[in-house]
Structure formats: structure tokens, C-alpha cells
Amino acid sequence: MNNACHTPKDEDIRPAAVTETFDPMRTPSGNPAMRWLPRGQSAVWLIGAFVIAMMVAAPIIAVAYLAFFPTENIWPHLASTMLPRYVKNTAVLMLGVGVGVTLLGVSSAWVVTMCKLPGKRFFEWAMLLPMAVPAYIVAYVYTDLLEYAGPVQRLLRDIFGWSSAADYWFPDIRTKGGAILVLSLTLYPYVYMLARAAFLAQSICVIEAARVLGRSAWSSFVTVALPLARPAIVVGVVIALMETLNDFGTIDFFAVHTLTAGVFNVWLGMGNAGGAAQIALTMLAVVIALLVIERYSRRRQRFHDTTNRYQELPGYDLGPMAKTGALAICILPIVLGFVVPSMVLIYYSVGYFDQSWTADFFEFAGNSLVVSGLATALAVGCALFMAYALRLFPQPFLKFFVRLSSVGYAVPGAVLAIGVLIPFARFDNALDAVMRDTFGISTGLLLSGTVFALVFAYAVRFMAVSYGSIEAALGKVRPSMDDAARTLGESPWGTLKRIHFPMVRGGILAASVLVFVDGMKELPATLILRPFNFDTLATHVYQFAKDEMIEQAALGALTIVLVGVVPVIMLSRAISKSRPGHGGES
């Protein structure tokens, strides 16, 4: 009896001793990691991460403050005149793009992942190529091709003998429908890559179970695979919609008056910063609503696989008609979203090379490289600091502020530009007034209207991109590495430099490439924040295309596209390796 009572106690103790995971962020007594760090180093990591997070969040706070406390309140005028039209056009545009990217992204992801197709390996990465082409460049190219004086309508008039526009009907690309088509062609890869990653991660067992129960391939997709992939698909759609809200080049060229256009009209046309901030706050409300609706819609739903057995995906055999349709689903988005724009840009770049290959082109390219490079260094450096600080101190309050610093990507560039420019301008004016009164000298513009403001805005906007990559890379470093470094007397700085940095440099490289390419393409924030007589490739292309001179800007546009192809290849390889059991495991 005594032994019988004693044995369960031993069993109760042994599993706890075996299964307890030692957390290197805590001392043996259970106190936070800051207990074993020198007080000065604790302050550096904690205060540093907090300051970075607050600086990144400051533009959003500035927009909210200016919207609620404007110098001249024109909100009643906006609400009764322009705002309803801005909201309506924005809603129509986002609804159309949401439907378009869902249809293109989900269908192509399923076909490429689950069906046997000729050239399947090519389509796996080629479906992402339209992501490399900014939407405003696609808009410029198709307008040039499809307008009345363009080659398509000229060819039709020659073939059918039409002499004027009154003799035939041809759709106008410069409409809301045209903007929806262009944005859908360039943004569907967000849905495609997340949906495909979700399909790859699904266990084949659940799909086989549906087939055994008599479900067809189509029925299995609708009732099993699609619900399991729904969270990833919704995230992709939300990202595409946020990019739609951020777009300015396309909607400005097509004269679609959205909230983004309203920010520029009120800011530059009316000279009212408070009104622009109020429209910007409305855009933020739209973004927050998207995120809240997405989470609320699946608050009681859980999506889990019931097995950890993963096998090679079988690949469905398709009949001749089905195979033709599947190939069309894959080929058309690539051709329309990447091949046609690229071929047109190459044609114009060669034909107008002498007019494009100038000192101005090198200046614009140099400006783009410098600004994007500095922003990349700033964003990646700050993201690495915050991610490692959170690893050292996984405290709720620090996690909240670090997460707050990652919302910049959800903020449209025009909104962010106002949030950066207003406080910077007020700081410059206040400092200049003090220096004039005290020393009789003028300091001028130290922050606003400088390259620093542009670099800061880029870093804030793309902080989430860099932080996500670095956080994921750090998460793969075993906690025992920290424990071993601490046992050997290594400081946090030394641990980061000698142990963590070599192990996460792949994630740092990926983050750097993504931020750099996004910076090269960024247009709205650049138009507002760039210094006088300072152009990047994006603003150069925008200005020439707006003046109907896309031929002279083709080389700059092609350069942006070529730079954007690099992360596309990286993303494709990462997705292909994302399936559990990849590399022969089952």
C-alpha cells in the first residue's frame, strides 16, 4: 500500500522534470531575464526598443491628432461635398479588386498545386511575376496600347475599314473598370502565394477521405480544401485591398477619385493639411475595419489538420477541355500582367534608348538606390534590434509596442507622408524661430523637405516587412543557444553578433531585398515628401506617363520591373519548400 501510494508521486514528478523546457530568458528562480543582465544593458534594450516603436508609430498618432484638432476645420464641407464620392469610388474599387484577386489567385493556386499540367514547375514561380510590375506602370502601358490612337484600335480600323470612333465601340480603359482590371492583374499574386502555401500545407489524407466518400475533385476543393485555406486566402485579399487603398498612380491616371486622390487634392490643391489628415484618418478607419471584419468573421471557426502524415500531392489528371481551361487560368494572368507590359517597355526602351539613357536617368536611378538603400538599412536595423529585445524580454507591454510599430505597412503611403511631414515641419519651424530669436540665424529645413523625411517614411511603411522576416528567422534559433552563450559569460550584444546574426542572416537578407524593392516602387509617399528637384525612378515614370510620354519613361519603368523580379524568385522558392515533409519526408 505504501509503495502503491508512493509510485504515483514519483510519476507525477518525473514527467514535469523531463518535459519542462528551460527558458533562457528567465533566471533559475523564475525572474525575468533582465535580472541576469547588467542594469545598463537592460536599459539599453528596453528603452531602445520602446523608443524605436514609438518613433515608428508617431506618424499615425500625428495624423489622428491633426485630424481631430485641425487649424481650419473643413470637415463639414468635405462630408457634404467630396467625401461621399471618394468613399463610394473607393468602395467600388475595393469590391471589384477583392473579387478579381480572389478569383485569379485561388483558382491559379489550386490548379498549379493540385493538377497535372505541362509546364507546372514554370507556372509555380511565373504566377508571381506580375507582382514585380507596379500597377501604375501596367496602367500606363495598357492606356498607350488601347487608347484611340494606340496600335490596337489602329489595327482594328485598318482591318474593318472604320474611319472614326463613331463607327465602332471600344471599351475605355481609363475608367473604374479599367482600374479594377489593372489592380487585379498586379495584386492577385498576394492571394496566389498565400493560397498555394495553404494548399501545400494541407494533409493529403483529408482530401483522400473526401474522395473516398464520393466527392468529386471539384467538390473536394469547395468543401474541404477551400475552407481549410480560408484564413490564408482572406489575409491575401486584405493585403491586396490595402495595396489598392495605397495606390495613387493608377487611380490618378484613370481619373478615379478615391480617398487617396482626396488626400492629394485637399493637401496640394486646397492647401489644407487638417482636411487631408481627416481624409487620411478615414482611410485608416477603412483599413482597421478590414482587419476587424476579417477576424470577426472567423471568431468561432478553427482550421486544423487532423493528422501529421504528409505525402506527395497526387496531382489530378484533367481531360482535354479541363486542361485547356486550367492552362488558360495560368497563362492569361502572366501574359496580361507581366509579359505584355514587359515587352512594351522593352520595345520602347530600345526605340527611345538615346532619349532615355541620359544623365538625368542616372541621377534618378541613383536617387532611388540611395533612398531605398538607406531606408533598408534603417528598417532592417531597427527591426533586428526590436526582435532581439523582445526575445530577451518577452513582456506583454514590450510586445504591444513592438506590434504597434509594425502597423505601418497597413497605412497608405499618402497617409504616412502627412503623418511624417506635419510634425517634422512644426519641429523645423519651432527650431528656426528659436534660433532666429536667440542667435539671429535661420536653421531652415532640417527634417521636412529633405531626404531624411523620405527615408524615415519608407522605413516606417516597410518596418512590418523587415520585422516579420527577422522575427521568423530568430524564432528558429533554439533557446538553448542563448542559454549556452549566457553560461559562457557572453553579453547580449556578443550573443547577437557571434551567434544569432550568422544564423539569421538569411532572414535579414530576405527582409533587405523586400524592403529595397518596395522602396524602389513606392510612389504616393515619394510625391509628397521628396525634396525640391529630387526625383526617383518612380516619380520620373509617373511624371512622364502623366504627360502622355510613356516612351521616354520606359527605361526607368523597365528598371523598376527588373529589380522587382528578384524577390519574386525568392518568394517562389520559399513557397515551394513550405510543405511539411518537403524533401522526401512523409
Side-chain angles (χ1 to χ4, degrees):
M1 293 293 293
N2 291 339
N3 291 337
C5 295
H6 179 70
T7 301
K9 292 182 181 179
D10 289 344
E11 291 176 353
D12 288 342
I13 294 173
R14 280 196 296 270
V18 172
T19 60
E20 181 180 4
T21 301
F22 182 78
D23 185 357
M25 302 307 143
R26 306 181 69 86
T27 61
S29 62
N31 293 325
M34 64 183 71
R35 296 287 183 86
W36 64 266
L37 286 176
R39 186 177 302 274
Q41 293 191 24
S42 299
V44 168
W45 289 104
L46 282 173
I47 296 176
F50 177 77
V51 169
I52 292 173
M54 292 306 299
M55 288 183 65
V56 173
I60 302 173
I61 298 172
V63 169
Y65 178 84
L66 186 62
F68 284 111
F69 305 101
T71 304
E72 179 185 359
N73 187 17
I74 63 170
W75 178 254
H77 172 71
L78 292 175
S80 61
T81 55
M82 298 179 289
L83 190 63
R85 182 176 58 168
Y86 293 151
V87 172
K88 177 183 176 181
N89 289 338
T90 302
V92 171
L93 191 66
M94 295 179 72
L95 177 62
V97 172
V99 173
V101 297
T102 302
L103 293 176
L104 290 174
V106 175
S107 60
S108 59
W110 176 256
V111 166
V112 169
T113 306
M114 300 299 297
C115 300
K116 292 182 179 179
L117 288 176
K120 179 176 178 177
R121 289 190 176 275
F122 166 77
F123 290 126
E124 286 178 354
W125 63 268
M127 293 301 303
L128 291 171
L129 285 175
M131 182 186 289
V133 190
Y136 55 86
I137 291 179
V138 177
Y140 304 153
V141 168
Y142 277 111
T143 299
D144 189 72
L145 287 177
L146 301 178
E147 65 181 355
Y148 180 79
V152 174
Q153 292 200 50
R154 285 204 312 268
L155 179 62
L156 291 176
R157 288 195 297 269
D158 292 340
I159 293 175
F160 295 101
W162 295 325
S163 59
S164 67
D167 296 334
Y168 65 99
W169 176 85
F170 193 86
D172 185 8
I173 188 68
R174 300 180 75 164
T175 60
K176 281 195 286 286
I180 290 172
L181 176 62
V182 167
L183 289 167
S184 297
L185 286 173
T186 55
L187 297 178
Y188 83 84
Y190 288 107
V191 180
Y192 165 80
M193 66 179 179
L194 291 174
R196 182 167 177 255
F199 292 146
L200 284 170
Q202 292 176 6
S203 169
I204 192 62
C205 297
V206 295
I207 301 175
E208 288 179 341
R211 298 302 300 274
V212 169
L213 293 173
R215 299 280 187 178
S216 65
W218 170 252
S219 181
S220 300
F221 165 70
V222 173
T223 59
V224 178
L226 194 59
L228 286 173
R230 179 178 175 272
I233 293 171
V234 171
V235 170
V237 173
V238 169
I239 293 174
L241 293 181
M242 289 190 294
E243 288 294 325
T244 300
L245 195 63
N246 177 62
D247 181 83
F248 175 71
T250 305
I251 59 101
D252 179 62
F253 194 65
F254 285 1
V256 180
H257 300 287
T258 63
L259 288 169
T260 304
V263 171
F264 279 85
N265 292 338
V266 175
W267 171 264
L268 301 177
M270 301 174 62
N272 192 296
Q278 289 167 341
I279 297 178
L281 194 62
T282 305
M283 296 172 69
L284 283 179
V286 173
V287 171
I288 294 172
L290 286 174
L291 299 176
V292 171
I293 290 172
E294 183 273 325
R295 289 188 176 274
Y296 182 80
S297 66
R298 58 185 177 93
R299 66 194 184 283
R300 295 180 181 177
Q301 302 180 29
R302 297 294 182 267
F303 303 86
H304 301 291
D305 287 330
T306 56
T307 179
N308 58 4
R309 293 174 54 209
Y310 293 90
Q311 306 170 15
E312 188 70 22
L313 296 174
Y316 297 122
D317 290 313
L318 302 176
M321 293 297 295
K323 183 174 291 186
T324 301
L327 287 172
I329 289 174
C330 296
I331 293 174
L332 284 177
I334 299 172
V335 171
L336 297 177
F338 180 79
V339 175
V340 171
S342 298
M343 294 302 294
V344 172
L345 293 177
I346 291 172
Y347 175 78
Y348 285 152
S349 297
V350 173
Y352 291 82
F353 185 80
D354 292 338
Q355 300 180 38
S356 303
W357 191 259
T358 63
D360 287 340
F361 171 79
F362 286 102
E363 180 183 350
F364 303 148
N367 291 341
S368 294
L369 293 174
V370 169
V371 173
S372 299
L374 291 175
T376 299
L378 181 61
V380 172
C382 291
L384 179 61
F385 188 97
M386 289 192 297
Y388 190 63
L390 191 59
R391 183 180 177 90
L392 290 175
F393 309 108
Q395 306 299 323
F397 82 95
L398 183 59
K399 184 178 295 185
F400 169 78
F401 286 108
V402 170
R403 293 290 184 269
L404 182 64
S405 69
S406 299
V407 301
Y409 192 75
V411 181
V415 177
L416 195 61
I418 292 176
V420 170
L421 189 58
I422 297 302
F424 278 18
R426 291 189 175 179
F427 172 82
D428 285 341
N429 291 334
L431 180 62
D432 184 71
V434 170
M435 295 300 291
R436 284 177 180 273
D437 295 339
T438 306
F439 303 103
I441 59 175
S442 175
T443 56
L445 299 178
L446 298 179
L447 298 179
S448 58
T450 64
V451 173
F452 174 79
L454 196 56
V455 170
F456 180 75
Y458 281 14
V460 171
R461 174 150 168 72
F462 304 123
M463 181 68 70
V465 177
S466 56
Y467 180 81
S469 298
I470 293 172
E471 182 187 36
L474 273 177
K476 296 178 182 179
V477 179
R478 290 176 296 178
S480 58
M481 294 289 185
D482 302 71
D483 182 31
R486 188 181 69 179
T487 301
L488 294 173
E490 189 64 84
S491 68
W493 282 110
T495 303
L496 176 62
K497 179 181 177 181
R498 296 181 176 85
I499 298 177
H500 290 89
F501 186 83
M503 299 180 71
V504 303
R505 59 186 175 189
I508 293 175
L509 177 61
S512 300
V513 171
L514 293 173
V515 174
F516 182 82
V517 172
D518 281 340
M520 291 284 289
K521 296 189 294 184
E522 176 62 30
L523 180 63
T526 311
L527 287 173
I528 294 178
L529 292 173
R530 62 194 172 106
F532 294 112
N533 298 320
F534 184 92
D535 280 302
T536 63
L537 287 175
T539 60
H540 162 67
V541 172
Y542 165 77
Q543 290 173 344
F544 271 80
K546 189 176 182 180
D547 295 334
E548 307 291 343
M549 299 170 64
I550 182 62
E551 298 86 355
Q552 286 82 350
L555 185 60
L558 185 63
T559 303
I560 296 175
V561 172
L562 292 177
V563 171
V565 170
V566 176
V568 166
I569 297 174
M570 294 175 59
L571 285 172
S572 177
R573 295 184 62 182
I575 293 172
S576 297
K577 296 178 180 179
S578 65
R579 177 170 171 79
H582 177 84
E585 298 176 11
S586 61

